[in-house]
Amino acid sequence: MVEDILSIKAIAEEEIKGANDLKAIQSLRVKYLGKKGVLTDKIKSLGSVPKEIRPEYGKTLNETKNHIESILNQKESFFKASELESGLKANRIDVTVPGNFIPAGHKHPISRVLDEIVDVFSSLGFVIEEGPEIELDYYNFEALNIPRDHPARDMQDTFYITDDVVLRTHTSPVQVRVMQKNKPPLRVIAPGKVYRCDADVTHTPMFHQIEGFMVDEHISMGDLKGALELFLHAIFGEDTGVRFRPSFFPFTEPSAEVDIACVMCGGTGCRLCKGSGWIEILGCGMINPKVFEMVGYDPEKYTGFAFGMGIERITMLKYGIDDLRLFFENDKRFLEQF
Amino acid sequence: MKASINWLKEFVDFSAKPIEIANALTMAGLEVEGVEEVDGDTILEVNITPNRADCLSIIGVAREIAASLSLPFKKSKIPVIKEEFGAPEIEIKAPELCRRYASRIIRGVKIAPSPEWLSKRLEAHAIRSINNVVDATNYVLLEMGQPLHAFDLNNLTGHGIVVDKAGSIDKFFTLDNEERALETDTLMIWDKEKPVAVAGVMGGLNTEVTLSTSDILLESAYFNPPSVRRASKALNLSTESSYRFERGVDINAVVTALERAVDLILQTAGGKAGKLTDIHPKPLALRQISVGLSKINKIIGVSLKDSEVQDILTRLGFDNKKTGDTFVVIPPSFREDIQQDIDIIEEIARLYGYDKIPVTFPKVRLTPVKVNTHRNLIKITKDFLRRSGYSEVINYSFLNPSVFDKLRLSPDDKRRNTIKIKNPLRKEENSVRTTLIPALLGNIGLNINHGEKSLRFFELSKVFLPSKEKLPEEPLHLGAVCLKDSRMPSSIWEGKHECFYDLKGALENLMAELKVKDYSFVDTDSCEPYLHPGKSCTIKVNNEVIGSLGVLHPAAAEALELTGDIALFELNLSSLFLHILPKITYKSLPKYPYVERDISIVVSKDINAADIENAIARIDSNLIEGITLFDIYTGSPIPKDKKSLAFSIRFRAEDRTLTDAEVDVLHSKMVSLLESSFKAELRS
Ligand SMILES: [Zn+2]
């Protein structure tokens, strides 16, 4: 009797193994476990099994039923899952088509570098100030110790609106305007457009500058060197060589020109640096006491440094741009590279 | 300035190679921009800053080499001139413009080409050799920095000199055979009758030294620098002479230079010299400047000792004495640029070597930093436009006013009233811009020529408007332009809508990010003459018009030679920034659910969707939470002059769940309103 059950089990196992779709599994479930299924019949007729073998017979029958049910379930969920998968596979999209987004516009390289420089100084606690682009001769020249009829005016070819009003030739007038309105300590940068009556391969009549200055009671030239080295290393890399050499600006004294080791040859000399190994990058100095007097600061109490740099030049060096005019032509093929 | 190594060696003994000398000069502040070998000599190209008039000569550069390398400077001996007849008669009538005038007459010179050594040296320093007399004056100019002038004595009426302003004489022929207009204040050299030179700038043709000259009068003077500069600017004539006078020559070397030149002329052209006239009414008193050692060290950031400072001052030829902490310094007469203690501190720093100053970091006092909100708003504006696909352009501030006609601006349009530049680089571009539009359209034109079909640009820049103040107003403007080829979209996702909506979307997105309160796009006919009257609107914020947006007018497009679907806007960003919500205030979240109903209507094409939305909103502003236009359709089966609009309306009450019955009431109110006010037909 027990043997009968075991042979049913063996046959059922074999049949389930051979089933290869959900339908076959469902009909096997009816065949063995349905209302009139083989195993259901056996359970119904359990009462007619002789008493002495009934416990063992009953146990085997129950185990077999559970076993068959479990492997049927297993197989059934396998077929269900694979049916779903193959259904999904048929419903496909072309994943290689580009995603739906608005291609972002580009930041002008001048803005890119200007923002980078502003960020470095902002992180050092410098605040940003602005001044007018059309400026009084007084702020652009006189207050910066550049009197009329002084040869220092030749350093900057000026666009005049009237005899007293000019297109500012540098961002330095912001120094005077800010100092007139505020008391030290001061840490300020002033970015903006400036104008010179000059156009050739290395000059455009409009360009961008950043002016920076710091005023307090104990600022020294050593501090000027420290602050600018910090800045130049942030922009051009930690290992960039930096050189300070004496120069002249009417509004700073002592004045310095700052060179960095040539970005192209690293200092051995090439066409870019005209063989010198150095590239002029900015002008700076200790604020001239005459400027302090103009704004009513006590030059015996306060000292400070100021610096100014051309953004186009730095941008050209950073990106290897070889034609200044590209900045203002606004050729899409140029702008797209930034 | 050019400087020959061989010539320099006549004044300072050095064994260093030219390249080492170049480096030493550069690091002392005389930047050497070129080193060129010429004919057994080396010529340095030295950039002399405007403050260093004393270095515009061989001896000046030699002094710098001596000072920076700690070598002795060999002073040249003043030649003793054998005087064989009398002195010239000189009168200075404008002493404030001519502080010193020295002169000798040389008779019996033989004008001829210079000896080779002289002409070669001049030519190596970019000065053309003329004849032995003129070359001698130029030689001394190069060597000592003192410009000299030789007059043909026999053409000087009265054989004397008067120094006076031009006065009523308004025309004068200079040596270069040009007739020059004079200003009344221009300082002139006269003989007893007529002007014979523009003082310090150029001699006159009437007294030029020529091959037939036998007697000369030689001039060595000190002219007031600003006066020479004004004359040079007025005549638009810059010479080796004016360049040096306007920067200031060494007033104490005026006679030395004269003697050097006389001696040289006697050697090369022969002749006999007469006695010296030297008019020098107020000899220069040398300045005495005090500077404390502690101040020197504080400003440079070093700890120099007395002896180090003294050594530097002595190398520079500055007399100095120390009392207490203070040095009393007397700079030599050729250092007119040394006026105050800071100038001496700079000299010390310069010769000590900037590279030796230790790097330190400024110690800062914490102070409250004011946030630059303006700059933050600019950053948001730029970032948002970029995210909407617009690239930033930067254009020149200059403007050619003829573009206003192409933009069809009316004759009285405010933007035509531009600020003019007196000396523009290009005559046509004589203004600074009052609008960003011309440049932006120019950018489109350039790129169309390169074959581009899809362009999105913006520019953020100041424009310049005349004001009652001395300085103009400089409002910040924002302009943008969009060009689209709807047949060839730049991406498969890009819709076929007009580029007007592309541009408007970018602007609305920006307004939302900036949290601009109360802005609107108002449909007015022809808000700008350069915009399409049917496809343009004004941009209003809080009822103030701040700009306009629209499609480029076909007539303007034609005038500017542009084709394609181009939309553009310009607005006053400074004004916009005034209407930004000062802060964000939180509103509690709704407690009850919303009910949503769609409504689809057919109306005349002339009716604006915004008017319908506003009308719906007014039905019950408490219960209608939002209205979204989600479809616009024209074409079959909608009649030609009509369009279909579909809105989704969201209803919600603050204090209860709305019942269907309540919403039904609102909905039917809405339908009858749309029917009566807009002659709308409901679409099923
Ligand atoms: Zn290089």
Side-chain angles (χ1 to χ4, degrees):
Chain A
M1 293 289 279
V2 174
E3 289 74 18
D4 291 348
I5 303 294
L6 292 177
S7 85
I8 290 169
K9 182 183 172 190
I11 294 164
E13 279 176 341
E14 205 52 40
E15 282 181 352
I16 291 167
K17 209 174 171 188
N20 44 22
D21 59 22
L22 200 57
K23 234 181 182 171
I25 291 294
Q26 272 156 0
S27 61
L28 283 172
R29 190 183 293 274
V30 173
K31 179 176 176 186
Y32 290 98
L33 303 171
K35 274 184 192 158
K36 289 175 183 169
V38 181
L39 288 169
T40 320
D41 278 355
K42 294 282 178 203
I43 290 163
K44 277 184 191 159
S45 56
L46 193 61
S48 58
V49 174
K51 241 184 180 165
E52 55 280 16
I53 59 163
R54 200 184 291 162
E56 199 200 337
Y57 178 84
K59 191 176 162 226
T60 311
L61 180 60
N62 203 34
E63 280 170 1
T64 303
K65 184 205 151 210
N66 287 343
H67 174 68
I68 298 298
E69 194 162 16
S70 137
I71 58 174
L72 274 170
N73 285 349
Q74 237 174 51
K75 197 91 187 218
E76 187 182 58
S77 55
F78 169 77
F79 282 129
K80 272 191 176 161
S82 63
E83 210 162 87
L84 177 69
E85 277 306 299
S86 57
L88 291 179
K89 273 179 189 156
N91 179 16
R92 55 190 306 134
I93 57 168
D94 184 347
V95 297
T96 66
V97 166
N100 182 6
F101 67 100
I102 302 171
H106 301 270
K107 201 168 184 172
H108 196 284
I110 296 290
S111 289
R112 195 169 275 280
V113 171
L114 204 125
D115 286 354
E116 205 179 318
I117 295 171
V118 167
D119 286 348
V120 173
F121 284 107
S122 295
S123 75
L124 296 172
F126 282 65
V127 297
I128 302 155
E129 296 279 2
E130 274 182 63
E133 290 177 28
I134 296 186
E135 185 55 285
L136 294 172
D137 185 277
Y138 175 79
Y139 286 107
N140 197 73
F141 292 122
E142 303 265 335
L144 290 164
N145 192 33
I146 314 172
R148 259 177 221 280
D149 299 322
H150 193 277
R153 289 221 176 180
D154 287 350
M155 293 168 92
Q156 302 173 353
D157 291 317
T158 311
F159 283 117
Y160 283 90
I161 303 295
T162 66
D163 285 346
D164 298 323
V165 177
V166 301
L167 291 181
R168 67 173 174 189
T169 57
H170 48 185
T171 39
S172 309
V174 182
Q175 263 188 55
V176 181
R177 287 182 174 272
V178 170
M179 284 195 275
Q180 272 182 347
K181 275 197 213 132
N182 303 277
K183 290 268 153 278
L186 285 176
R187 262 175 293 164
V188 174
I189 49 167
K193 288 175 183 158
V194 301
Y195 303 87
R196 306 248 175 114
C197 187
D198 199 359
D200 58 35
V201 184
T202 53
H203 299 89
T204 49
M206 180 186 89
F207 58 100
H208 295 75
Q209 267 194 348
I210 286 189
E211 183 82 6
F213 63 97
M214 177 167 186
V215 182
D216 204 342
E217 284 176 16
H218 298 283
I219 306 291
S220 72
M221 272 188 89
D223 294 339
L224 165 65
K225 285 182 75 175
L228 289 180
E229 274 194 23
L230 213 68
F231 158 69
L232 290 168
H233 285 162
I235 296 290
F236 290 104
E238 280 304 315
D239 303 325
T240 307
V242 176
R243 175 174 94 162
F244 289 74
R245 59 185 164 78
S247 189
F248 168 72
F249 307 104
F251 39 96
T252 53
E253 183 104 35
S255 300
E257 201 81 63
V258 183
D259 300 334
I260 56 166
C262 178
V263 292
M264 197 131 103
C265 64
T268 53
C270 69
R271 262 182 54 205
L272 181 65
C273 57
K274 290 184 204 140
S276 71
W278 295 97
I279 289 184
E280 205 172 295
I281 204 84
L282 59 86
C284 62
M286 302 300 289
I287 297 172
N288 195 320
K290 285 183 182 162
V291 176
F292 283 152
E293 281 164 20
M294 293 274 192
V295 298
Y297 286 6
D298 178 0
E300 290 302 318
K301 184 171 176 193
Y302 295 111
T303 55
F305 60 73
F307 53 88
M309 63 191 104
I311 307 305
E312 278 74 2
R313 185 168 171 74
I314 295 177
T315 309
M316 289 175 95
L317 291 173
K318 266 191 88 90
Y319 299 126
I321 297 166
D322 54 5
D323 187 351
L324 189 56
R325 287 165 305 186
L326 285 169
F327 289 128
F328 305 111
E329 267 173 10
N330 299 307
D331 187 323
K332 185 185 179 190
R333 299 165 301 180
F334 174 72
L335 297 174
E336 267 175 357
Q337 297 182 34
F338 303 94
Chain B
M1 197 196 71
K2 291 183 190 296
S4 132
I5 289 282
N6 289 347
W7 203 346
L8 289 167
K9 281 188 171 170
E10 293 177 15
F11 299 95
V12 55
D13 256 328
F14 54 84
S15 50
K17 289 197 207 95
I19 195 78
E20 291 163 342
I21 295 296
N23 192 49
L25 284 171
T26 296
M27 294 312 282
L30 269 63
E31 190 190 358
V32 175
E33 290 176 322
V35 180
E36 199 190 344
E37 282 195 44
V38 181
D39 228 351
D41 196 356
T42 305
I43 307 292
L44 305 179
E45 182 64 49
V46 195
N47 177 16
I48 310 288
T49 52
N51 57 326
R52 293 305 302 274
D54 64 298
C55 289
L56 292 168
S57 63
I58 296 296
I59 62 167
V61 176
R63 273 194 301 250
E64 279 298 301
I65 295 172
S68 50
L69 299 181
S70 247
L71 296 169
F73 172 71
K74 296 189 278 183
K75 267 194 172 164
S76 49
K77 284 200 193 82
I78 304 171
V80 181
I81 306 296
K82 194 175 163 206
E83 299 172 338
E84 312 207 25
F85 48 92
E89 201 177 298
I90 310 287
E91 186 188 356
I92 300 177
K93 283 192 173 165
E96 72 287 0
L97 300 185
C98 175
R99 281 166 53 195
R100 191 171 191 181
Y101 198 106
S103 176
R104 277 186 199 270
I105 288 170
I106 304 173
R107 292 187 191 275
V109 293
K110 188 171 175 352
I111 306 296
S114 293
E116 204 190 340
W117 67 266
L118 206 167
S119 57
K120 263 192 152 175
R121 229 173 217 187
L122 292 185
E123 270 151 20
H125 292 76
I127 289 186
R128 199 161 51 91
S129 171
I130 295 168
N131 59 47
N132 43 11
V133 168
V134 175
D135 288 1
T137 61
N138 281 333
Y139 189 87
V140 176
L141 173 137
L142 287 177
E143 186 176 81
M144 303 185 63
Q146 171 67 46
L148 299 129
H149 186 65
F151 299 94
D152 186 324
L153 183 70
N154 297 320
N155 290 331
L156 288 176
T157 309
H159 291 194
I161 290 291
V162 177
V163 184
D164 200 0
K165 293 179 185 172
S168 61
I169 303 288
D170 59 352
K171 286 204 166 68
F172 181 67
F173 269 98
T174 42
L175 270 176
D176 51 4
N177 206 1
E178 294 268 340
E179 186 173 48
R180 311 239 171 215
L182 301 175
E183 293 184 351
T184 50
D185 276 350
T186 303
L187 188 69
M188 303 294 291
I189 308 299
W190 302 65
D191 60 15
K192 299 287 179 181
E193 248 176 40
K194 59 180 186 295
V196 293
V198 183
V201 182
M202 193 179 267
L205 198 60
N206 52 13
T207 49
E208 186 187 12
V209 171
T210 63
L211 280 174
S212 57
T213 300
S214 61
D215 305 334
I216 58 166
L217 181 144
L218 206 57
E219 160 199 291
S220 180
Y222 182 96
F223 299 116
N224 172 277
S227 152
V228 174
R229 184 174 163 79
R230 277 194 298 270
S232 157
K233 290 273 156 193
L235 297 176
N236 194 20
L237 178 63
S238 177
T239 60
E240 293 283 347
S241 165
S242 69
Y243 193 82
R244 284 169 177 80
F245 277 124
E246 68 182 52
R247 282 161 176 74
V249 298
D250 179 4
I251 197 165
N252 284 1
V254 163
V255 170
T256 319
L258 178 70
E259 306 298 55
R260 174 87 172 109
V262 170
D263 187 49
L264 207 52
I265 291 169
L266 293 177
Q267 281 175 46
T268 60
K272 290 173 178 175
K275 288 202 167 108
L276 173 74
T277 301
D278 178 18
I279 315 281
H280 191 191
K282 270 190 233 151
L284 179 81
L286 291 179
R287 260 178 310 279
Q288 198 167 304
I289 302 165
S290 299
V291 55
L293 179 67
S294 51
K295 187 168 177 183
I296 295 170
N297 282 330
K298 180 187 151 192
I299 287 182
I300 306 178
V302 285
S303 31
L304 297 179
K305 292 197 273 299
D306 278 358
S307 57
E308 291 171 284
V309 172
Q310 263 153 354
D311 171 56
I312 289 171
L313 292 172
T314 307
R315 274 153 60 194
L316 285 165
F318 291 12
D319 268 351
N320 62 89
K321 219 184 271 164
K322 176 95 194 281
T323 33
D325 179 58
T326 305
F327 287 95
V328 178
V329 182
I330 302 176
S333 61
F334 52 83
R335 292 304 303 271
E336 273 289 302
D337 60 312
I338 307 295
Q339 298 275 349
Q340 45 179 359
D341 59 357
I342 194 71
D343 300 321
I344 290 171
I345 294 171
E346 177 173 53
E347 291 300 295
I348 292 165
R350 189 168 76 79
L351 285 198
Y352 175 70
Y354 281 8
D355 50 340
K356 282 196 279 183
I357 299 170
V359 167
T360 51
F361 296 98
K363 287 179 191 63
V364 298
R365 293 188 268 164
L366 277 188
T367 43
V369 172
K370 66 173 173 188
V371 180
N372 193 324
T373 45
H374 185 71
R375 184 129 193 122
N376 285 345
L377 293 174
I378 289 174
K379 188 171 158 35
I380 292 172
T381 303
K382 287 186 171 187
D383 283 351
F384 250 69
L385 286 170
R386 280 202 299 118
R387 275 185 233 172
S388 298
Y390 288 77
S391 289
E392 184 188 12
V393 294
I394 301 179
N395 286 294
Y396 288 127
S397 302
F398 312 108
L399 178 112
N400 179 346
S402 73
V403 76
F404 292 139
D405 294 334
K406 295 180 182 167
L407 291 177
R408 303 153 32 93
L409 298 194
S410 68
D412 57 349
D413 193 294
K414 262 179 27 197
R415 286 165 291 194
R416 284 185 184 266
N417 182 19
T418 58
I419 289 162
K420 305 277 188 306
I421 300 169
K422 279 169 73 179
N423 55 332
L425 269 181
R426 270 190 293 222
K427 242 198 290 169
E428 324 79 72
E429 286 186 349
N430 66 349
S431 295
V432 283
R433 53 186 176 166
T434 50
T435 161
L436 307 181
I437 294 295
L440 279 167
L441 291 174
N443 300 147
I444 294 291
L446 174 109
N447 285 286
I448 287 177
N449 288 344
H450 292 158
E452 299 291 346
K453 290 183 174 133
S454 171
L455 295 164
R456 289 180 178 84
F457 289 145
F458 77 92
E459 182 170 20
L460 196 153
S461 174
K462 286 175 168 181
V463 298
F464 306 89
L465 310 173
S467 79
K468 287 185 187 118
E469 309 294 315
K470 264 199 148 180
L471 292 181
E473 278 178 52
E474 298 187 5
L476 192 61
H477 273 208
L478 174 66
V481 56
C482 175
L483 167 79
K484 254 175 71 163
D485 184 349
S486 40
R487 290 159 309 149
M488 283 284 288
S490 60
S491 114
I492 59 159
W493 304 110
E494 199 172 72
K496 293 220 165 35
H497 54 265
E498 296 194 43
C499 70
F500 175 91
Y501 293 110
D502 190 294
L503 189 58
K504 188 184 178 205
L507 185 53
E508 285 177 305
N509 201 14
L510 172 65
M511 297 276 205
E513 175 65 16
L514 287 173
K515 309 226 177 302
V516 177
K517 54 178 179 188
D518 218 3
Y519 66 90
S520 56
F521 295 87
V522 183
D523 183 4
T524 52
D525 284 351
S526 65
C527 56
E528 279 284 10
Y530 57 82
L531 295 181
H532 186 305
K535 298 181 178 180
S536 58
C537 58
T538 56
I539 306 161
K540 273 189 171 179
V541 177
N542 207 3
N543 266 329
E544 181 195 345
V545 174
I546 60 155
S548 27
L549 162 75
V551 171
L552 186 63
H553 194 295
E558 200 190 324
L560 294 160
E561 293 169 40
L562 297 173
T563 51
D565 181 17
I566 297 171
L568 58 155
F569 76 73
E570 180 173 29
L571 58 82
N572 184 328
L573 203 57
S574 303
S575 300
L576 178 71
F577 284 168
L578 297 177
H579 297 288
I580 284 171
L581 279 179
K583 57 176 182 181
I584 296 170
T585 320
Y586 155 84
K587 256 168 59 190
S588 56
L589 304 181
K591 292 192 181 65
Y592 300 93
Y594 64 81
V595 179
E596 208 161 54
R597 292 280 171 90
D598 294 350
I599 183 165
S600 184
I601 54 172
V602 175
V603 291
S604 158
K605 270 185 176 171
D606 297 340
I607 289 171
N608 285 330
D611 295 335
I612 296 175
E613 282 182 22
N614 291 338
I616 295 173
R618 277 195 298 270
I619 290 171
D620 191 327
S621 56
N622 288 324
L623 297 183
I624 296 175
E625 190 183 71
I627 306 160
T628 310
L629 174 69
F630 69 88
D631 192 42
I632 303 180
Y633 177 74
T634 53
S636 171
I638 310 291
K640 260 198 167 165
D641 56 343
K642 303 214 163 178
K643 61 184 171 184
S644 152
L645 300 174
F647 297 93
S648 165
I649 294 131
R650 191 175 273 200
F651 303 91
R652 194 198 309 259
E654 232 173 78
D655 53 351
R656 63 188 191 280
T657 301
L658 283 178
T659 63
D660 276 352
E662 281 177 287
V663 176
D664 286 345
V665 171
L666 286 168
H667 190 83
S668 42
K669 258 194 193 173
M670 193 166 78
V671 171
S672 51
L673 174 85
L674 294 180
E675 282 168 349
S676 61
S677 304
F678 300 101
K679 297 200 176 67
E681 293 164 44
L682 219 51
R683 270 187 103 190
S684 42

